[in-house]
Amino acid sequence: MNAVALPEREFPSPDSVDSDFVRALERWVRERSGSSLLANAAATLIHGEAQGHVCCDLSADAGLGDDEIATLRGHAWVGAGDAFTPFVLDGDANLYTWRNWRHETRLADSLRERAGRRAYPLDATTLAADTGELFAGMDAQATKWQRAAVAAVPGARVFVLTGGPGTGKTTTVLRMLLMLIKQARACELPEHPTIALAAPTGKAAQRLSASIADGTRALAQSLAPGSAFTPLLESLATTQAQTLHRLLGFSARTGEYAFNADAPLAADIVVADEASMIDLAMMRRLVDALRPDAVLILLGDPAQLYAVDAGSALGDIAGSVVQNSLPGALAERLSGVLGDVPASDDASVPLAGQVLTLTHGFRAEKELAAALDALRSRDVAWVERIVAEGGEGGVRWFDCADAAAVRARLDAWIATHADAYASLMRPDIEPADALRRLREMQILCALRDGLFGANEVNVALTRRLAARFGFDANPVWHHGRAVIVTRNDYARGLYNGDVGIALDRGDGLRVWFDGDAGVPRSFSARALPAHETAWAITIHRSQGSEYDEVAVLLPRDPKHRILSRELVYTAVSRARKDAQLWASADALRAAVARPVVRRSGLRERLNRV
């Protein structure tokens, strides 16, 4: 029997598994392969892929016994990965589609190869001097691992920097780039290396550009007169980030990418931010498109929500090593930066010393930082204190188990933020002030549709604001309407996740968005790409954004599959100061106790010595 490729299809998102498609594929495999056993295994695999898994465990997921697994190994459609077959079955009884098998093994091999090319071009004295200059005047203990990252990046061809919100990832990567530029020749880079900044979404790319620009201005003020780093800041200040799809030259017409292993990117250094949102396939494409001598820097928070599509690449990469494990050669060189740093027992694994985690938070209030620590560790005691006492520190809990409770919370939310909403409805408000007000508060919903979803909350909140401030809630557009862009428009510079405000200041209604250097931009409502009302948005759409206060609305059913620790963590971490949790006690308990676990072999492949 000849092996054939599975039919192409865009698989459904985790919260909308297409059972009809799974059943159709099961019938297709049964008819074409002649095996009901393989058809059942394939259905389990594809159903799991729709939920983000890269592979399925035939024993645990499909309930197959050893004899059945052995039978599958002998089927013509199932191979060991050394030649094309529709399915690949590894030695641990994990079943893959050929596509995901290639993504995973190719990515692992490429990262291991890059990690193995780690060099140590700079001595301890040079590292200490340059790092000290870049962090002059900053608390040494608070910036310990930031300094370590800057001192550890020379000589690396892949570097992963992780950390929670406000730990200074973009502040650190700016200094990492300056170190690489200054020491380019020693690091076997061109004298003036080209740098590409990228992120999974347009919104995240825009924020990365802004963060780098802001960081260069701040650092320019703190560097000593005559510093060798000062002239290097100019090129970084104007470097614009782009989406990964645009960086790799994706064509919507053909579905192909212009840059790949056969046609690599010209960039000498590539920085990819918000890497937790990068799925396995895209991570493989990114790494494939790099020249062997290029440097890849990944930034992200593995505790946040994973990509919608299959895989948890950043979490697997970061989890392949013990946190901040340093091989002996690197520990010796960092002694001048961090003091006596013992080499780790984990330092023999390939990525040791090339995955570092920032642990000191600079942004969130201490109480909120404690809540994020509790969420990261799935602290059951913290949840029980929240439920028993109604809150702790910067987090407050409100029982929302039915529609009446949600309506009550919306009324209370408007009352609490009455001044902000009143300002947004003033006909003379300046666009910059309106956009700043929008960043003060945001309702985040786990769901898009239904009673507890963002769409219903937007309708309810709009009606309440209309009644309070005297505008007609029936027309789609009105002065003060908050909107969020849901599709990238590169021509206009508007990206999925951008939030704006509709204002009629006497010269017709215009929709205003943040612009370069803090100067807002306006567009006709008719000229906007796809968009929605944004008094409430989904937690997924909020990734990469920050607000003073957030309210997090969870579905009331504790068994709802969207509930997870990562979901709550991502939502709470959007807040700078305060967070409200609107959820039933059981739903909150269930979410915090349920980590997202995606089946994948990437971590184990990376961890092999």
Side-chain angles (χ1 to χ4, degrees), residues 25-40:
L25 183 133
E26 183 177 7
R27 288 193 301 272
W28 187 89
V29 173
R30 182 182 296 108
E31 293 169 0
R32 296 294 186 91
S33 72
S35 171
S36 295
L37 183 62
L38 179 59
N40 292 335

Side-chain angles (χ1 to χ4, degrees), residues 315-500:
D316 289 338
I317 294 168
S320 68
V321 296
V322 173
Q323 180 174 304
N324 295 342
S325 59
L326 303 176
L330 182 58
E332 180 181 350
R333 283 162 175 76
L334 293 190
S335 62
V337 178
L338 305 178
D340 186 20
V341 182
S344 169
D345 293 337
D346 189 52
S348 61
V349 302
L351 281 165
Q354 294 161 88
V355 178
L356 292 184
T357 300
L358 304 181
T359 56
H360 183 86
F362 294 90
R363 189 189 80 189
E365 299 292 330
K366 290 183 178 179
E367 295 86 355
L368 203 54
L372 294 175
D373 287 341
L375 287 167
R376 270 192 295 265
S377 61
R378 286 186 287 154
D379 187 343
V380 175
W382 176 83
V383 177
E384 294 306 324
R385 289 197 303 273
I386 291 289
V387 170
E389 301 171 15
E392 181 177 286
V395 177
R396 287 173 290 164
W397 171 71
F398 298 93
D399 191 355
C400 278
D402 54 36
V406 174
R407 289 194 293 268
R409 289 317 315 153
L410 291 177
D411 289 336
W413 179 261
I414 293 174
T416 299
H417 299 285
D419 289 345
Y421 285 120
S423 296
L424 292 173
M425 301 304 163
R426 280 200 341 255
D428 60 342
I429 188 171
E430 292 293 328
D433 290 339
L435 291 167
R436 177 182 57 79
R437 282 291 198 176
L438 280 182
R439 292 190 290 270
E440 291 179 5
M441 71 272 180
Q442 183 65 59
I443 299 175
L444 304 177
C445 301
L447 302 174
R448 172 185 171 85
D449 299 312
L451 176 63
F452 288 66
N455 289 342
E456 289 293 328
V457 172
N458 275 316
V459 170
L461 197 60
T462 299
R463 287 173 179 166
R464 282 163 168 75
L465 293 175
R468 188 179 187 108
F469 297 106
F471 63 84
D472 187 351
N474 290 320
V476 173
W477 288 104
H478 60 81
H479 176 87
R481 181 193 180 201
V483 296
I484 184 168
V485 173
T486 59
R487 183 180 302 162
N488 293 338
D489 184 335
Y490 293 106
R492 292 180 172 82
L494 292 173
Y495 302 105
N496 185 2
D498 284 352
V499 173

Side-chain angles (χ1 to χ4, degrees), residues 205-412:
Q206 188 181 49
R207 285 183 53 80
L208 177 59
S209 296
S211 296
I212 292 293
D214 291 344
T216 57
R217 287 191 288 268
L219 184 54
Q221 298 298 317
S222 65
L223 289 173
S227 169
F229 289 108
T230 299
L232 307 181
L233 285 170
E234 295 180 8
S235 60
L236 288 178
T238 57
T239 302
Q240 293 296 306
Q242 55 192 314
T243 64
L244 287 169
H245 281 80
R246 202 170 199 194
L247 173 70
L248 299 179
F250 176 73
S251 168
R253 183 178 62 83
T254 65
E256 300 294 329
Y257 292 82
F259 297 102
N260 49 55
D262 296 323
L265 291 163
D268 301 301
I269 304 170
V270 175
V271 177
D273 197 11
E274 296 289 353
S276 65
M277 299 167 65
I278 304 176
D279 60 76
L280 175 68
M282 180 56 76
M283 190 70 81
R284 180 253 173 116
R285 290 188 186 101
L286 173 62
V287 175
D288 267 3
L290 300 173
R291 300 195 324 270
D293 57 344
V295 178
L296 172 65
I297 301 175
L298 298 175
L299 308 177
D301 182 356
Q304 286 192 29
L305 284 168
Y306 298 142
V308 172
D309 292 321
S312 51
L314 180 67
D316 289 338
I317 294 168
S320 68
V321 296
V322 173
Q323 180 174 304
N324 295 342
S325 59
L326 303 176
L330 182 58
E332 180 181 350
R333 283 162 175 76
L334 293 190
S335 62
V337 178
L338 305 178
D340 186 20
V341 182
S344 169
D345 293 337
D346 189 52
S348 61
V349 302
L351 281 165
Q354 294 161 88
V355 178
L356 292 184
T357 300
L358 304 181
T359 56
H360 183 86
F362 294 90
R363 189 189 80 189
E365 299 292 330
K366 290 183 178 179
E367 295 86 355
L368 203 54
L372 294 175
D373 287 341
L375 287 167
R376 270 192 295 265
S377 61
R378 286 186 287 154
D379 187 343
V380 175
W382 176 83
V383 177
E384 294 306 324
R385 289 197 303 273
I386 291 289
V387 170
E389 301 171 15
E392 181 177 286
V395 177
R396 287 173 290 164
W397 171 71
F398 298 93
D399 191 355
C400 278
D402 54 36
V406 174
R407 289 194 293 268
R409 289 317 315 153
L410 291 177
D411 289 336

